[in-house]
Amino acid sequence: MMQSTLKYFFFFFLVSFLFFSLSQFLYIKISSTTYSQYSVVDKKPVHVLVVSSWRSGSSFVGQIFNHHNDVFYLFEPGHSIWMKFWGESSELLHFPLRDLLRSLFTCDVSPLQQYLPNGGKYFSELGFFAESRALCSQPACTAFMPSEGYDRLKCYHRCKNTLLDKMAEACKKYSHIVMKTVRVLDLSVLLPLFRDPALDLRILHLVRDPRGIALSRKYFDLTIENNILLRKHENKNNTMSRVLGKICKAQVEINNVAKAAEVLKGRYMAIRHEDLSNEPLKSIQKIYNFAGLHLTQDLEQWVYNITHVEVEGKYGFMTFSRKSSMVVQKWRTNLNYNFVQEIQDHCKEAMNLFGYRPVGSPKEQKNLTLDLVNMDWSLE
Ligand SMILES: *[C@@H]1O[C@H](CO)[C@@H](O)[C@H](O)[C@H]1NC(C)=O
Ligand SMILES: *[C@@H]1O[C@H](CO)[C@@H](O)[C@H](O)[C@H]1NC(C)=O
Ligand SMILES: *[C@@H]1O[C@H](CO)[C@@H](O)[C@H](O)[C@H]1NC(C)=O
């Protein structure tokens, strides 16, 4: 009696084992054939966070990543947090933001169910979902055939009402996960993420001449953002120069933390908007090296296209044309000298650190042959 029970168990065990092995084999077989066009991720993905500020060209830097086939890119996931908690301060919102970034880097989309405006059933509730090529193609959005290219306008229509789970499924297929944010003003908040064994995080810090930012901000309504930024300040005067002062101070602090933190060695790179505008291909090469990505010929062609196309708006709202190096100088003819001085006062330290020369007179400001971006600049 005992003997036969034992035999029975042994037999049961053997069958289970065989079944398990077979299912594993089939699983690997299926996952490697179905998604052969995506890189099968067998090791920890690379995580890149583009840290910048409003109107500094971070959308363009995001697109540089977005166009690479190995990259799962998300545009500004922290936006939903700021819009939900618009009565709070940027200091407080750092913490839910950090948690959200960590979750999304590990392809856990569940926090979005709480933050998205309509209950988080669909990833299209992320206001800028179509900025992400990965969300506009398979397996995230089955409305696009693999042979079709990335088209953000079509994506807004065709990929609307796609379940949030599809975003998580797609995220797991990529070797690089990249997000950009303008909402990190204190890098020390992110330090625990560098000790997290699930992550392989790198910070790409994009800065821009605050006078250029000031001009660009004039065309955008950032009232909600400004209120969140200045909430902790006693003086509620939400003037542009105060906002810029806070942003400038944050950029200096971010750089200080990066230089001081041992865990950030080799994991931080600063880049200036002006260098990107003047030498896009060289800058993009540097950015890809930092992220461990290869520059393909197709991408090189894309960079050539976007830096030589005259039609503005063709590439979404991060217009970037042959005139981009002229845009760098636009503030010099469009800003009032007194206002420029106010910004220079608030941003002295940042301008010095990142190599932007102040102007001392209206004449200097308007003299475009006088170069105000220090080209010998380097943080290394
Ligand atoms: C706004 O700022 C100016 C100059 O800093 C100051 O004189 C004025 O009292 C401030 N107004 C308020 C309401 O705080
Ligand atoms: C670049 O532009 C040309 C001409 O408009 C177009 O045929 C080509 O597909 C574009 N290539 C990329 C990679 O965007
Ligand atoms: C403009 O700046 C350049 C370079 O410093 C200088 O040589 C030139 O004299 C300036 N022009 C005027 C009109 O001040």
Side-chain angles (χ1 to χ4, degrees):
M1 187 66 185
M2 190 73 193
Q3 194 107 40
S4 73
T5 314
L6 216 60
K7 250 189 219 157
Y8 174 76
F9 267 112
F10 181 73
F11 180 72
F12 179 75
F13 176 76
L14 194 73
V15 168
S16 310
F17 179 75
L18 281 174
F19 183 75
F20 177 75
S21 309
L22 190 71
S23 65
Q24 284 298 299
F25 175 74
L26 280 176
Y27 175 75
I28 290 165
K29 198 86 182 134
I30 287 166
S31 48
S32 64
T33 49
T34 312
Y35 295 116
S36 55
Q37 70 265 47
Y38 312 104
S39 34
V40 175
V41 180
D42 47 8
K43 59 175 192 173
K44 192 158 63 180
V46 172
H47 306 100
V48 180
L49 185 64
V50 179
V51 171
S52 191
S53 183
W54 293 266
R55 313 309 309 153
S56 296
S58 60
S59 301
F60 177 69
V61 171
Q63 288 309 313
I64 293 169
F65 285 110
N66 194 34
H67 273 78
H68 198 291
N69 283 329
D70 294 343
V71 173
F72 182 85
Y73 169 69
L74 290 179
F75 178 98
E76 213 58 57
H79 179 261
S80 52
I81 293 179
W82 275 41
M83 291 307 119
K84 191 159 188 94
F85 302 113
W86 54 267
E88 300 293 346
S89 68
S90 54
E91 284 80 1
L92 184 144
L93 295 182
H94 271 139
F95 297 95
L97 174 61
R98 173 182 70 188
D99 179 62
L100 179 64
L101 293 172
R102 198 233 168 245
S103 299
L104 293 177
F105 273 135
T106 58
C107 301
D108 170 12
V109 299
S110 57
L112 289 177
Q113 288 166 356
Q114 304 304 322
Y115 296 134
L116 290 181
N118 300 313
K121 191 172 178 198
Y122 307 117
F123 68 60
S124 47
E125 288 174 41
L126 280 164
F128 309 105
F129 78 96
E131 295 305 312
S132 167
R133 185 187 48 81
L135 294 181
C136 295
S137 51
Q138 293 199 27
C141 176
T142 47
F144 277 92
M145 292 292 109
S147 57
E148 284 179 277
Y150 166 46
D151 186 328
R152 59 165 60 73
L153 286 183
K154 281 185 194 158
C155 179
Y156 270 115
H157 300 294
R158 287 206 224 159
C159 302
K160 214 161 49 186
N161 302 340
T162 309
L163 292 175
L164 197 59
D165 289 347
K166 298 295 277 183
M167 178 173 164
E169 184 190 331
C171 172
K172 291 173 189 148
K173 305 290 173 202
Y174 292 84
S175 63
H176 289 68
I177 301 169
V178 181
M179 292 186 254
K180 84 114 178 153
T181 181
V182 292
R183 291 169 170 80
V184 169
L185 295 118
D186 178 1
L187 200 55
S188 63
V189 173
L190 299 186
L191 287 180
L193 301 188
F194 288 91
R195 302 186 198 102
D196 190 322
L199 300 182
D200 177 5
L201 183 60
R202 294 146 207 217
I203 301 287
L204 180 63
H205 185 197
L206 175 72
V207 295
R208 182 180 182 184
D209 188 329
R211 297 162 296 190
I213 295 178
L215 180 65
S216 185
R217 283 182 73 108
K218 284 195 164 184
Y219 305 111
F220 287 84
D221 180 14
L222 292 167
T223 314
I224 296 174
E225 284 83 354
N226 291 350
N227 283 332
I228 294 174
L229 275 178
L230 294 180
R231 184 140 286 124
K232 289 260 159 139
H233 292 227
E234 270 169 30
N235 186 343
K236 296 283 184 210
N237 260 340
N238 291 359
T239 60
M240 179 101 83
S241 51
R242 293 174 61 79
V243 170
L244 282 171
K246 174 144 187 180
I247 288 169
C248 281
K249 199 159 165 270
Q251 305 312 308
V252 173
E253 285 300 313
I254 287 170
N255 187 251
N256 284 343
V257 169
K259 282 189 284 205
E262 199 56 44
V263 285
L264 270 148
K265 289 267 174 297
R267 296 185 166 272
Y268 170 89
M269 186 170 92
I271 190 154
R272 294 186 306 186
H273 172 266
E274 293 75 15
D275 298 324
L276 201 56
S277 299
N278 291 329
E279 295 186 295
L281 198 57
K282 194 177 151 197
S283 304
I284 289 167
Q285 207 115 38
K286 248 177 97 176
I287 290 173
Y288 274 1
N289 274 346
F290 174 69
L293 289 165
H294 292 289
L295 186 65
T296 60
Q297 242 174 9
D298 186 51
L299 278 160
E300 232 174 285
Q301 179 65 43
W302 177 74
V303 173
Y304 179 86
N305 279 8
I306 56 165
T307 48
H308 288 77
V309 160
E310 299 289 348
V311 194
E312 291 208 5
K314 190 175 171 198
Y315 292 92
F317 56 85
M318 66 268 114
T319 53
F320 197 90
S321 70
R322 192 175 355 194
K323 302 192 200 90
S324 59
S325 45
M326 278 156 68
V327 171
V328 166
Q329 298 264 52
K330 213 167 155 190
W331 67 267
R332 299 181 68 172
T333 46
N334 283 254
L335 286 187
N336 170 290
Y337 175 67
N338 287 337
F339 182 47
V340 167
Q341 268 197 316
E342 216 178 295
I343 300 167
Q344 291 180 170
D345 275 352
H346 278 85
C347 290
K348 206 173 285 173
E349 209 184 341
M351 288 178 61
N352 187 37
L353 178 65
F354 297 116
Y356 303 119
R357 297 193 190 103
V359 289
S361 67
K363 204 173 140 196
E364 268 187 25
Q365 183 183 329
K366 303 272 192 297
N367 180 357
L368 298 186
T369 46
L370 184 66
D371 204 348
L372 298 179
V373 179
N374 185 356
M375 283 302 157
D376 301 327
W377 174 86
S378 166
L379 281 176
E380 279 103 339

